[in-house]
Amino acid sequence: MDWLQLLVFPAIRALILIFVLLTGFAYLTWYERKLLARFQVRYGPNRAGKFGLLQPAADAVKAFFKEEIIPNHVDKPVYLLAPALALVPALIIWAVIPIAKGTPAIADVNIGFLWILAVAGIESYGIILAGWSSNNNYSLLGALRSSAQMVSYELPLGLFLVSILMLAGSFSLVDLVEGSRQWWEWIWLWLAFPFFFICILAETNRSPFDLPETENELVAGFQTEYGGMKFALFFIAEYVNMISTSAIMATLFFGGWKGPFAEQYIWLGPVYLLIKVLILLFLFIWVRASIGRPRYDQLMKFCWQFMLPLGLVYVSISAVLAVFLK
Amino acid sequence: MPLDVAPVIRSYETQRTLNPPGIPALAPMPTGETDDTRRLCERFGRDIVAAGLHYGNQVVFVEPAQLKALATFLRDDAELNYETLIDVTSVDRSQLPLNGGARFQTVYQFRSYSRNRHLTVVADCKTEPGGNGELPHIDSLTGVYRGAEWPEREVYDLMGIRFDGHPDLRRILMPKSWPNHPLQKQAPLGGEEVPFTFTWDDPEFETLGSQILPAESAAPDLPPGMSRQNMVINMGPHHPSTHGVLRLVVEMDGERIVSIDPDLGFLHSGFEKTGENKRYKDFVYYTDRMDYLSAMSNNLGYCLTIEHMLGLEIPERAQVIRVIMAEMQRIASHLFWLATHVLDVSGTGMSLLMYATRERERILDLFEMACGARLTVSYIRIGGVWQDLPDAFITELKDFLRVMPEKINEYEALITEAPLWQERLTGIGHISADDALAMGLTGPMLRGSGIDWDLRRDRPYCGYESYEFEVPTSDSGDCYGRFNIRMEEMRQSVRILEQAVGNLPSGLYKSNNRKVALPPRAELDVSMEALIHHFKLMTEGFHVSPGFFYNGIENSKGELGFYVYSDGSAKPYRLHVHGPSFNNLYAIDHISRGEMLSDVVTNIGSIDIVLGEVDR
């Protein structure tokens, strides 16, 4: 029984989760393209299937049947490893996110917060290694930018996480969602949300902080030398990351799976989570359609001169609040 | 390594039109005098060969030995004060009755913005025997006017004139191994073996089949002055934001730019050589293809030059239609600039790209109404316009003008005050007024550095003097200043359009002069004379009396100039196009040094180039 509990059930859950996430990724691309098209007075994909709903399938087929090109000058093992390294953290970060009452996606561990921080730390490796192993100036510049950017933005991100942790009083995300919060706690949390969201944008390399790939200067940044399925893996990693971080934000700031009747009907939990994630994804896309990109040095300056001090202030005040009001 | 290829000369290429006796003829000497020519004659005495007015332009012929001294005097003399050198070109006169005169002449266009004067300086080239024939050479003016660097390289490339003292005399438009200098008259119009195709013996193909060359062979030769100590990256010709097929070799120290070497000519199509082999009226269609984003302005610039040489009166209605078209084209061009600039700076997701192209689409629809074409319009012809405006045009245009100011406000609301946008543009690509003048920049690049100059207002053509509009300038000299200028120019163009639409006179839409402009189609059915005129114009064209003339108009990117040298026949003997993008692009190295890689992209967008015109 033990090995069943420890291995088989989690494995089945993980498979289901991966399946859901990859489908979710596919339809996220459709969602983004449709939304961007609406923002830009266009139609978006509308040829493949009704409302272009088969577009993701067509894209997948295309990616699979592309010729596999491995340039001569790359560091082959690292070059092949990098896309996988980019994708894996985006998937495993889901393990600790609660999807319904008392039900985490994989495991209710008592170090949920640390897990998020740790996995977020690994994420940049895929990009750095891709840029380094490609042996291409554009890739290298993209990789350097991304390493600096991700490392920098992890600091304020971590500070905000620590503040939430202090107020919640538990490392477990399941406890965080199910525990009750006072009204001032919610307001205090939501004050931090815009800044947290900015950090997440930088962390996921999404526009306007998509400097590692800046197609206008660096051609395609770290993924310049990648094609076919290997490129698709980076693409999947970016979009799954968007979904994951949206789920994390929903969990931390908006009560995760909670909603009317979610306590009575367990199946409502994932539905509410999905709705919240979709709204947050809309935010990602909205920002992409309307905000220009900063320059690399400006981005770093913003992090170190604004976000980090702000994070420190937020942590200090949160600590005071946690001690005196809870 | 030059290839030894014997050019195949086809018979029709060298055939010229049947000319009346006495043609081809040399351009006559200038007559009369002005204050400036008098002052130059006093200063240089016998070194001035001739001076005076020619087709209304001040012209000075100078001895080649004194050219540099003359240019320095023009720039530094307080009374003359010619701050800028607009254009350098040259004429190969080998097919004219020279009577011992020099074969090659270089032609310089000087401009004084403060005094609103234009001066053409012509100098014979010294020749020395060598190579396969003679090697013409002349002093370089790069030491006096910095902006002469690229035009002189162009002259060297296309005409083979060497400039003594030029810092970097390389080919600029043609491939390095091109066998001849194409604008020399003996160079055939086509027929050369094109050295683009390499043989399999070339070392560059040793690694073919291994997908991508090993890294060490990726950059075969660095431009002079660049060092491998720094990172050298190759932007373009296949790069998302070099606006076509521009190639920039960028030397970087980290992400800071050390120097940039633009590599041009990927889109070179030899418009000037083609022009010399077309009848005057047939070149209008080629002008569309140069700056394909402002075809109307190109048509207009060319037609105005020829009409001035013909002394042709243009009917009032045609003038106003031309203004309408030119201003609509300016808005369309600026809209496309805005769209691509935002795209370059802010990324593909930015919606403004589509908003700006949406409005541009309406303008193109209007063009389609007027002439059936959207991009390569050829609507403005010598003598007027091709056909009258359709009835619905004015209503549609009025509707567009009602909407457009709101739309401009909409764009501005989206980015002008946005902090990210301001931070990306403010202080980037800075050009001081002195540099702008020395480099011969024109258009918004010049006005962005605080020089209040607009050909429409200061040297009016097409009746621009009767319209009320303002010329926006900015003292900041950076990308943000230029951005604001172009946004304001769109508003001013709307203003001009409103005035033009408001008092569009009735009358002829093209000149009644049947020797130049085609008779209307209906007339052909009833008038034998009209048929003869039609036949003569379609087969022979019209003759322009010998002479040369430079005329510039203000298009959306700057001063678009046409220099035409006529030998009296029905084809231009020499046709030179001064494209604003070409001169403005010269600034890219200067303004990008010390800035970051992202700023190069901002600068390219801010210069607003169209490669069709840069490469011509």
Side-chain angles (χ1 to χ4, degrees), chain B residues 18 61 149 270 336 361 380 399 403 472 514 560 564 568 605-606 611:
Chain B
L18 290 173
F61 286 74
E149 186 178 335
F336 207 70
E361 205 66 9
I380 297 171
D399 188 50
V403 179
R514 295 281 188 266
L560 171 72
V564 176
S606 177
L611 265 293

Side-chain angles (χ1 to χ4, degrees), chain A residues 153-290:
Chain A
Y153 274 85
E154 255 157 43
L155 289 171
L157 189 77
L159 288 173
F160 285 118
L161 276 176
V162 165
S163 319
I164 298 168
L165 169 72
M166 282 194 293
L167 288 171
S170 162
F171 271 108
S172 161
L173 287 174
V174 177
D175 291 352
L176 176 85
V177 174
E178 288 177 14
S180 62
R181 276 179 175 148
Q182 285 156 311
W183 62 269
W184 59 265
E185 261 186 274
W186 283 112
I187 293 172
W188 181 242
L189 265 183
W190 288 339
L191 276 181
F193 176 71
F195 304 105
F196 192 82
F197 185 66
I198 291 174
C199 292
I200 288 289
L201 282 177
E203 191 64 23
T204 50
N205 290 330
R206 285 292 300 176
S207 181
F209 297 148
D210 50 350
L211 292 164
E213 39 170 298
T214 40
E215 68 284 349
N216 298 310
E217 310 143 25
L218 298 185
V219 187
F222 62 90
Q223 52 200 4
T224 307
E225 297 283 7
Y226 284 88
M229 207 50 215
K230 297 189 293 301
F231 167 76
L233 281 182
F234 278 118
F235 204 67
I236 295 172
E238 181 182 333
Y239 279 79
V240 172
N241 242 330
M242 272 167 74
I243 304 176
S244 312
T245 46
S246 298
I248 292 170
M249 283 191 288
T251 308
L252 295 180
F253 290 96
F254 303 105
W257 52 266
K258 272 191 179 171
F261 308 111
E263 308 258 346
Q264 290 93 325
Y265 307 100
I266 289 228
W267 57 270
L268 271 176
V271 175
Y272 284 127
L273 186 62
L274 179 70
I275 292 170
K276 287 170 185 172
V277 165
L278 279 178
I279 294 171
L280 286 166
L281 286 174
F282 176 81
L283 261 182
F284 273 100
I285 297 160
W286 190 11
V287 164
R288 181 172 175 199
S290 45

Side-chain angles (χ1 to χ4, degrees), chain B residues 446-552:
Chain B
L446 186 70
R447 290 191 281 276
S449 296
I451 292 161
D452 191 10
W453 175 267
D454 189 317
L455 282 167
R456 290 176 295 170
R457 183 195 62 196
D458 298 313
R459 299 176 80 83
Y461 51 91
C462 269
Y464 266 112
E465 60 273 18
S466 57
Y467 298 95
E468 262 181 46
F469 63 99
E470 277 149 33
V471 177
T473 58
S474 158
D475 290 328
S476 62
D478 58 8
C479 290
Y480 193 63
R482 295 192 280 273
F483 165 77
N484 281 331
I485 285 176
R486 292 200 174 98
M487 295 307 267
E488 185 57 31
E489 276 186 7
M490 282 199 266
R491 292 211 175 84
Q492 296 301 330
S493 289
V494 171
R495 218 173 125 193
I496 297 175
L497 278 170
E498 274 163 358
Q499 296 168 45
V501 172
N503 44 32
L504 178 67
S506 54
L508 295 169
Y509 63 89
K510 68 177 171 189
S511 165
N512 231 350
N513 187 338
R514 295 281 188 266
K515 303 289 177 200
V516 176
L518 287 175
R521 175 67 186 80
E523 220 174 274
L524 295 185
D525 298 338
V526 291
S527 158
M528 189 66 212
E529 207 174 332
L531 201 60
I532 294 169
H533 279 132
H534 190 274
F535 179 75
K536 277 290 263 184
L537 277 174
M538 285 315 236
T539 52
E540 188 186 345
F542 49 82
H543 294 250
V544 175
S545 53
F548 55 89
F549 182 57
Y550 171 90
N551 181 40

Side-chain angles (χ1 to χ4, degrees), chain A residues 128-147:
Chain A
I128 296 168
L129 290 180
W132 179 77
S133 67
S134 290
N135 201 359
N136 172 317
N137 284 344
Y138 285 117
S139 304
L140 182 67
L141 282 174
L144 290 177
R145 284 180 178 191
S146 93
S147 51

Side-chain angles (χ1 to χ4, degrees), chain A residues 82-163:
Chain A
L85 260 185
L87 180 58
V88 168
L91 291 172
I92 59 177
I93 208 167
W94 265 89
V96 295
I97 294 170
I99 53 172
K101 185 175 162 39
T103 325
I106 307 286
D108 178 15
V109 286
N110 56 3
I111 50 158
F113 275 98
L114 290 184
W115 177 256
I116 290 177
L117 278 173
V119 173
I122 307 174
E123 264 163 22
S124 51
Y125 276 101
I127 291 175
I128 296 168
L129 290 180
W132 179 77
S133 67
S134 290
N135 201 359
N136 172 317
N137 284 344
Y138 285 117
S139 304
L140 182 67
L141 282 174
L144 290 177
R145 284 180 178 191
S146 93
S147 51
Q149 170 183 334
M150 289 174 128
V151 168
S152 309
Y153 274 85
E154 255 157 43
L155 289 171
L157 189 77
L159 288 173
F160 285 118
L161 276 176
V162 165
S163 319

